[in-house]
Amino acid sequence: AVVAIILSYAKQASLFAFIIVGVLAGIVGVRTVINTNVMTAFVDIGITLLLFMAGMEVDIPGLIKRWKLLLINGFGQIIGLFIISLGLGALYVGIDATYMTDAGLSADNAMPALIYFALCLTLSSTILVIGTLKSTGQISEEHGQVALGLMVLQDIVAVVALAILATLKPPEPGIAPPNLGIEVAMIFGKMIALAIVLYFVTKYILNPLFKFFAQSGELLFIGTLGYGMGVAALCEVIHFSSGIGAFFAGATLAALPYRHEIEDKVEPLKAFGVILFFMGLGFDISELTPDQMLGGLAEGLILAVLVVVLTIPLMLLLGYLSRLNSKPAFLMGAIINQSSEFSLMLAVLCLQYKIFDPHIFIVVTLVVLISFFLSSLGHQFLDPFYAVFSNFLSFMDGRTKTAEEEVSDDIKLDGHIVIMEYNDLAIEIADFYAQRGEQVLLLDLDPHIIEYFEKQ
């Protein structure tokens, strides 16, 4: 808590505090007295809830509405940065069969190591991006909505990558390794089957069920956990990724009218698991030797700077192709220019499954931490940075209508009397203003109250 408070004054994400404490605790031997089974269980729950909450960020109508922008900017960013990262991994870090053999790992894992290394550099941080968009009030703007959709696409890629990574886990002695092609096909087949099942569950069960849960904050919390963790557990039983199950469960709840209340209830428990995950990462870092740390420092620093810098021109190019104006394209690139917390999850698992050696692991970890630091610093000066380059980017402007020009005039967002929650006092206030011809807007979660007024 002390370290997090100190870092907050430097406008830095609190996850740095969790990692620092994990490193210090590992150095002084705290890990030896912690019940590792309990900590592992909490970390698993935290990661599952993180994926569940990532699923709740899915706005299917919004994705459909902006499908062209997402197709060009979303897939363009993922594919473009992935190809660049593949080149950096092969040519700069030198990940190949010879490298793997020298590191005491299987040469057959050279290609998976290179692919997952590139993926770790490609993914952006959902936590940091959404936090920045909310704190700066940009989440409802054009670039904010496209960035949110891009984060959803990246989350889907990360969840699938985690599921495929599980098939690369070293087999138990005496058990033949699985056929990778068949396993990947099975993953996508199970994903489609799960999506179909959850579609019908959402249509015929979830709406009335959560309408009942919404009458009580405690019921909503328990019901949400029961559904999210239940779907994840059922996926585990059928030998499928519990993470994908949790993500899909969250996505099905995203369309319910109780979405924001659910997020508010579950967020603290998710945050606790994420804290333990990053502390565990700190423990893993503390086991590395000073030589290993210093050996990866130069590569990690250079790659982090490249991720932060190259993302902006890449998004400007994609913005030009999708006819975005210069400011939303620039701001989008300047907000998503860091590596992700999912990159750390992938790196930890790759280290455990002997796909990464300690050197690659520390390089990826340093890229994430340094890019987090540089990107979050840059987020404090987004508008001044754009002002510096705006004249050079003016050729991108005026080619299409801005989001503000396209807003419908059917709904007037001023002149309302807004009442928070329905009660006896609210009735008197509503009657008072309604009798004087004023429009009254009532906000309430209770589905019975909503139904009552819908019938009036």
Side-chain angles (χ1 to χ4, degrees):
V2 170
V3 177
I5 291 169
I6 293 171
L7 289 175
S8 70
Y9 282 100
K11 306 294 184 183
Q12 289 300 314
S14 55
L15 70 87
F16 287 114
F18 314 146
I19 296 172
I20 291 169
V21 170
V23 171
L24 295 175
I27 291 172
V28 300
V30 172
R31 186 172 191 170
T32 59
V33 295
I34 289 179
N35 188 322
T36 54
N37 290 332
V38 172
M39 184 167 179
T40 300
F42 270 113
V43 171
D44 288 343
I45 291 173
I47 292 174
T48 301
L49 287 173
L50 176 64
L51 295 169
F52 176 72
M53 298 293 281
M56 290 200 66
E57 296 292 339
V58 176
D59 177 14
I60 295 177
L63 293 177
I64 294 172
K65 181 180 178 182
R66 299 177 179 86
W67 70 271
K68 287 184 179 178
L69 285 175
L70 289 175
L71 187 67
I72 298 174
N73 292 277
F75 287 108
Q77 185 270 342
I78 293 171
I79 295 170
L81 199 54
F82 181 76
I83 292 172
I84 294 171
S85 301
L86 277 177
L88 291 171
L91 302 176
Y92 181 59
V93 182
I95 302 173
D96 56 19
T98 304
Y99 176 95
M100 300 295 284
T101 304
D102 293 342
L105 303 176
S106 172
D108 295 336
N109 283 336
M111 185 54 69
L114 183 58
I115 289 173
Y116 275 92
F117 175 83
L119 195 59
C120 288
L121 269 60
T122 301
L123 300 174
S124 304
S125 171
T126 303
I127 294 175
L128 187 57
V129 169
I130 292 177
T132 298
L133 291 174
K134 286 182 177 179
S135 64
T136 57
Q138 299 177 32
I139 199 163
S140 60
E141 297 184 18
E142 185 177 32
H143 67 275
Q145 290 296 302
V146 177
L148 278 181
L150 202 155
M151 290 300 99
V152 170
L153 292 179
Q154 289 197 9
D155 288 344
I156 294 172
V157 171
V159 170
V160 173
L162 285 167
I164 294 174
L165 185 57
T167 66
L168 301 175
K169 184 177 181 180
E172 299 293 331
I175 299 177
N179 184 296
L180 183 59
I182 295 175
E183 290 293 323
V184 171
M186 288 290 290
I187 288 171
F188 282 99
K190 289 177 180 178
M191 280 179 61
I192 294 170
L194 179 64
I196 294 171
V197 170
L198 290 182
Y199 169 78
F200 287 104
V201 168
T202 303
K203 188 173 182 179
Y204 297 107
I205 299 176
L206 284 192
N207 276 314
L209 185 63
F210 275 82
K211 182 177 176 181
F212 173 74
F213 289 156
Q215 299 176 63
S216 162
E218 291 79 7
L219 270 179
L220 191 62
F221 176 70
I222 295 297
T224 300
L225 278 185
Y227 175 67
M229 303 301 284
V231 172
L234 287 173
C235 288
E236 192 77 25
V237 168
I238 62 173
H239 304 292
F240 189 42
S241 167
S242 59
I244 289 184
F247 183 86
F248 274 62
T252 56
L253 292 186
L256 298 181
Y258 321 110
R259 166 182 176 176
H260 297 295
E261 187 76 0
I262 290 170
E263 289 177 341
D264 184 58
K265 299 289 184 188
V266 179
E267 181 72 29
L269 189 58
K270 180 209 80 171
F272 184 59
V274 171
I275 288 171
L276 291 178
F277 169 79
F278 285 115
M279 283 188 176
L281 176 67
F283 286 153
D284 291 333
I285 293 173
S286 69
E287 294 180 350
L288 299 172
T289 65
D291 289 341
Q292 289 174 329
M293 292 288 291
L294 293 174
L297 183 59
E299 290 174 330
L301 178 59
I302 291 172
L303 290 171
V305 171
L306 288 174
V307 167
V308 171
V309 172
L310 291 178
T311 304
I312 298 175
L314 175 61
M315 295 312 298
L316 285 170
L317 173 62
L318 296 170
Y320 180 80
L321 295 175
S322 59
R323 302 185 69 81
L324 274 176
N325 286 337
S326 61
K327 187 170 184 178
F330 179 89
L331 291 178
M332 193 159 51
I335 288 173
I336 68 167
N337 60 341
Q338 72 288 127
S339 293
S340 172
E341 59 276 359
F342 283 118
S343 302
L344 294 176
M345 295 180 192
L346 290 170
V348 169
L349 290 175
C350 285
L351 181 67
Q352 292 175 358
Y353 297 167
K354 300 188 183 305
I355 296 171
F356 284 179
D357 70 330
H359 177 73
I360 300 177
F361 169 75
I362 196 61
V363 168
V364 170
T365 302
L366 288 171
V367 169
V368 174
L369 299 181
I370 296 171
S371 65
F372 245 85
F373 176 77
L374 296 175
S375 181
S376 56
L377 274 182
H379 290 174
Q380 302 172 51
F381 309 101
L382 290 173
D383 287 329
F385 280 151
Y386 172 71
V388 172
F389 298 100
S390 58
N391 290 334
F392 300 101
L393 302 174
S394 58
F395 68 93
M396 295 179 62
D397 299 327
R399 299 177 302 151
T400 184
K401 288 184 177 181
T402 64
E404 289 78 8
E405 293 171 341
E406 294 172 354
V407 172
S408 171
D409 292 327
D410 295 339
I411 301 174
K412 299 293 185 184
L413 299 180
D414 57 358
H416 287 75
I417 309 302
V418 183
I419 299 173
M420 309 291 288
E421 191 175 358
Y422 179 76
N423 51 40
D424 291 339
L425 182 58
I427 297 173
E428 295 186 22
I429 294 173
D431 286 343
F432 176 84
Y433 285 103
Q435 289 170 8
R436 285 157 178 77
E438 299 279 358
Q439 297 186 48
V440 180
L441 175 64
L442 171 68
L443 305 181
D444 201 292
L445 181 71
D446 193 320
H448 294 299
I449 292 173
I450 295 169
E451 275 189 351
Y452 172 78
F453 282 104
E454 283 177 344
K455 292 176 181 177
Q456 301 308 304

